[in-house]
Amino acid sequence: MEFGPVPSVESAGAILAHSVRVQGQAFKKGRVLSAQDAKALSVAGIKTVTVCRLDADDVHEDEAANAIAHAARGTGISCSAAFTGRVNLNADRDGILIVDPDRIAELNVVDEGITFASLPPYSRVLARQMVATAKIIPFGVGRHNLDRATPKSPMIEVRPFVAERFSLVQTVLDSVKPTVLDKTEEILSARFESLGASALTPVRCPHTTADLAAVLKNQVGLKPNAITIVGASAIVDRRDVIPSAIEAIGGTIRHFGMPVDPGNLLLLGDVGGIPVIGAPGCVRSPKPNGYDWVLERIAAGVSVDSRSIMAMGTGGLLKEIASRPLPRAKAVTDRAGKEPKPASDIEGRTFAPRIMGVLLAAGQSRRMGARNKLLEDYSGAPIVHHAGSALRRSRISDILVVLGHDADAVRSALDGLDARFVHNTAYADGMASSVRAATAATPKDVDGILFCLGDMPTIRPGTMDKLIAAFDPEEGRAICVPTFEGQRGNPVLFSKRFFPEILDSSGDVGARRLMERHPDDVAEVAVDDPGILLDIDTPDKLASLRDGGRKSDT
């Protein structure tokens, strides 16, 4: 790999190492400079630029990151598109993260430029949460080291929560107030529900071995996924009331105590293959504790034994500190039947950005004469159907279709597309009115909008995925626009930061004006997709497409 300054006039084909501004436009690092770029640099008076040129045996950063991430990915995990040498691995479902720390360590020592980072083993994760990232530090790495570092089998997966119901038993002494028991049932039921399970009717009994044994025997007959016992008095010995009751009905004690604080006084037993947890008193609070770690693994079908409990000590200090506010109650509230928030505001989690895909399909097709271009046939389906299908096959979160002219016919052409529809009554005013209508109808928890044209039948889902992967407002990529052979095209992705500006615009002021106002926020994303430049707005273009146009990739 060659790296260093070169004359701008000789920079074509090289990778730009540091961002530069050229005639009001930002050339960002990682850009593969074209001959036109080299000329623009020279005209702007920039005599030299620092670049990188890959050798024949080097693998480009994006290709290398893809290889690492896809080889490491197991079930329950999806990979983002590669951008700037990074591929993020995101959970496809709620569950427990299973990773192999030793294999990750082995990968990371192969080459300092090849890195893989993950959340800790057995982390509880939510759907769309980022769980790992593969990042290539330089612009490329040697193929030999890449081959050595690439996992030979998956090393990270998400085990889904499979438990259907849990049992809760509380023992009672005169010193325990009924309100405390009621609150405990409420808090434990919320814990169960957050794991996708329901609670059997809670049971209370006197705090004696005989009474508890009788209740346990009945609960075992109901065959729950696990039984939790919250004692009126903490367990202090293997011969105490709760462990004695478990053994009295033929159960066994797997482990007593755990190196997690709060949660030290937890007991794990087993009756007929059903886990029985003697819960520490801290479960009466929604605050995270060792009980959660055990219950979450059981809910995901991950075995818990004495050795795994003793291994929880590293990271087991869960005492609340001022810099780490308590998230449990908030997390349960946010998860109540809803998709997790897209930002990193739940227990410090980071989620894949939630991007709304907007299909603009309200136009009058004036340049097509009396024909509606969106309804014209291409390869056996209306043009708008191809555009909507590509959007649905991408990693978009939701789809919103803007209708206007021929609304019923266009909607019919999109039959089967899982989308919401909004009618733009001002469609005759131009495309900008549809952009405003879509923005106004976008949910507040969306991070950005990908505006797609309904008359682009050959656009590829992978192009949209790459725009989403490039999207990072904190890194100056708040507006992502695709390029093919140096030409900008569609669709374009805008951060929610620009929504007020879009809504306040008037007339037919479109995306191009917004990009001109915020050049430093624009990221050009090179794609191998000529479809970003092909919109069917004239009879000649339609005829050319039918004669030799490329069909949208699947």
Side-chain angles (χ1 to χ4, degrees):
M1 180 187 304
E2 299 176 15
F3 185 92
V6 299
S8 296
V9 293
E10 299 175 10
S11 64
I15 302 170
L16 186 63
H18 304 296
S19 300
V20 295
R21 178 174 288 280
V22 182
Q23 298 176 342
Q25 181 180 351
F27 283 13
K28 300 196 174 183
K29 66 179 182 179
R31 181 187 185 106
V32 179
L33 297 170
S34 65
Q36 185 178 355
D37 290 339
K39 182 178 179 181
L41 288 165
S42 180
V43 169
I46 301 173
K47 296 182 179 180
T48 63
V49 287
T50 302
V51 299
C52 171
R53 292 186 188 273
L54 302 182
D55 296 332
D57 62 343
D58 288 329
V59 180
H60 186 271
E61 56 178 345
D62 286 350
E63 181 183 346
N66 257 327
I68 296 289
H70 284 272
R73 176 180 67 95
T75 57
I77 291 177
S78 59
C79 295
S80 71
F83 191 74
T84 63
R86 182 184 300 280
V87 173
N88 293 327
L89 289 82
N90 302 312
D92 283 340
R93 55 200 180 193
D94 293 4
I96 296 296
L97 185 68
I98 307 297
V99 299
D100 190 330
D102 293 336
R103 292 182 63 196
I104 291 178
E106 291 172 1
L107 184 159
N108 283 322
V109 299
V110 171
D111 186 311
E112 65 182 9
I114 301 174
T115 70
F116 189 92
S118 79
L119 295 178
Y122 303 108
S123 295
R124 178 179 175 178
V125 300
L126 304 178
R128 294 180 50 250
Q129 183 180 347
M130 187 190 302
V131 298
T133 185
K135 170 64 177 174
I136 306 302
I137 304 299
F139 291 111
V141 293
R143 187 171 298 278
H144 174 68
N145 280 350
L146 175 61
D147 291 342
R148 289 174 55 211
T150 302
K152 302 301 183 288
S153 61
M155 61 182 189
I156 182 167
E157 64 173 304
V158 174
R159 298 271 181 89
F161 294 128
V162 295
E164 296 180 353
R165 56 185 187 165
F166 290 121
S167 172
L168 172 61
V169 177
Q170 292 192 80
T171 64
V172 181
L173 291 172
D174 291 341
S175 59
V176 181
K177 296 180 179 179
T179 54
V180 172
L181 301 174
D182 294 342
K183 188 65 175 179
T184 301
E185 289 179 2
E186 179 185 338
I187 289 173
L188 267 295
S189 294
R191 273 187 165 95
F192 300 158
E193 291 171 6
S194 76
L195 297 171
S198 60
L200 297 175
T201 302
V203 179
R204 300 174 185 178
C205 71
H207 188 71
T208 69
T209 297
D211 288 308
L212 179 57
V215 168
L216 279 180
K217 187 173 182 179
N218 181 63
Q219 294 298 299
V220 169
L222 299 176
K223 299 188 182 301
N225 295 98
I227 301 171
T228 295
I229 306 170
V230 183
S233 180
I235 305 169
V236 295
D237 190 273
R238 277 178 169 263
R239 293 160 292 188
D240 212 335
V241 170
I242 292 176
S244 295
I246 293 172
E247 292 181 330
I249 61 171
T252 58
I253 306 304
R254 295 184 189 175
H255 192 81
F256 173 51
M258 68 187 312
V260 180
D261 186 14
N264 292 139
L265 300 182
L266 178 140
L267 180 139
L268 180 63
D270 180 280
V271 179
I274 298 175
V276 181
I277 307 172
C282 56
V283 300
R284 298 187 189 277
S285 163
K287 299 178 180 181
N289 62 78
Y291 168 80
D292 293 303
W293 288 9
V294 172
L295 185 69
E296 288 164 1
R297 295 193 197 187
I298 291 173
V302 178
S303 63
V304 185
D305 56 18
S306 180
R307 185 175 184 83
S308 61
I309 289 177
M310 290 187 288
M312 294 178 181
T314 301
L317 180 57
L318 302 179
K319 285 284 189 181
E320 182 181 1
I321 58 177
S323 63
R324 185 182 62 203
L326 219 4
R328 169 65 57 189
K330 181 178 186 298
V332 171
T333 299
D334 287 337
R335 285 296 302 147
K338 299 179 181 179
E339 194 171 4
K341 292 185 178 182
S344 8
D345 61 353
I346 302 177
E347 298 188 40
R349 304 171 194 247
T350 299
F351 293 88
R354 182 167 183 170
I355 305 300
M356 170 74 76
V358 168
L359 188 64
L360 301 173
Q364 294 176 287
S365 303
R366 291 187 176 115
R367 297 176 65 187
M368 289 290 291
R371 302 153 66 181
N372 187 335
K373 60 184 178 182
L374 300 182
L375 304 177
E376 290 292 319
D377 179 80
Y378 166 60
S379 194
I383 282 176
V384 72
H385 177 87
H386 289 285
S389 178
L391 191 55
R392 172 46 59 201
R393 297 197 308 276
S394 74
R395 299 196 63 81
I396 214 75
S397 297
D398 302 284
I399 297 177
L400 177 69
V401 180
V402 183
L403 301 174
H405 178 64
D406 275 350
D408 291 341
V410 173
R411 184 165 188 160
S412 178
L414 293 169
D415 185 44
L417 181 69
D418 183 14
R420 292 192 300 117
F421 293 84
V422 62
H423 187 79
N424 174 22
T425 57
Y427 65 85
D429 293 341
M431 186 185 299
S433 65
S434 290
V435 169
R436 289 191 291 271
T439 304
T442 298
K444 293 181 179 179
D445 61 350
V446 163
D447 294 304
I449 296 178
L450 182 68
F451 289 104
C452 307
L453 305 184
D455 62 349
M456 300 185 76
T458 66
I459 195 74
R460 300 175 183 176
T463 292
M464 303 176 192
D465 292 345
K466 194 163 185 180
L467 292 172
I468 296 171
F471 180 73
D472 191 337
E474 292 184 2
E475 294 291 331
R477 301 193 295 272
I479 303 174
C480 298
V481 55
T483 65
F484 177 73
E485 295 182 349
Q487 289 184 265
R488 289 181 175 182
N490 283 291
V492 180
L493 171 55
F494 288 92
S495 165
K496 64 181 179 182
R497 173 158 64 88
F498 301 107
F499 291 1
E501 194 169 343
I502 292 173
L503 292 172
D504 288 344
S505 64
S506 60
D508 198 21
V509 178
R512 182 176 300 177
R513 182 71 58 84
L514 199 59
M515 288 189 283
E516 290 174 353
R517 291 175 186 165
H518 304 278
D520 291 339
D521 292 302
V522 177
E524 292 187 342
V525 182
V527 296
D528 184 22
D529 182 2
I532 70 166
L533 306 177
L534 180 62
D535 57 324
I536 308 303
D537 54 5
T538 66
D540 288 344
K541 283 188 177 181
L542 177 61
S544 176
L545 174 69
R546 287 170 172 168
D547 289 343
R550 297 176 61 182
K551 185 178 179 181
S552 177
D553 286 6
T554 59

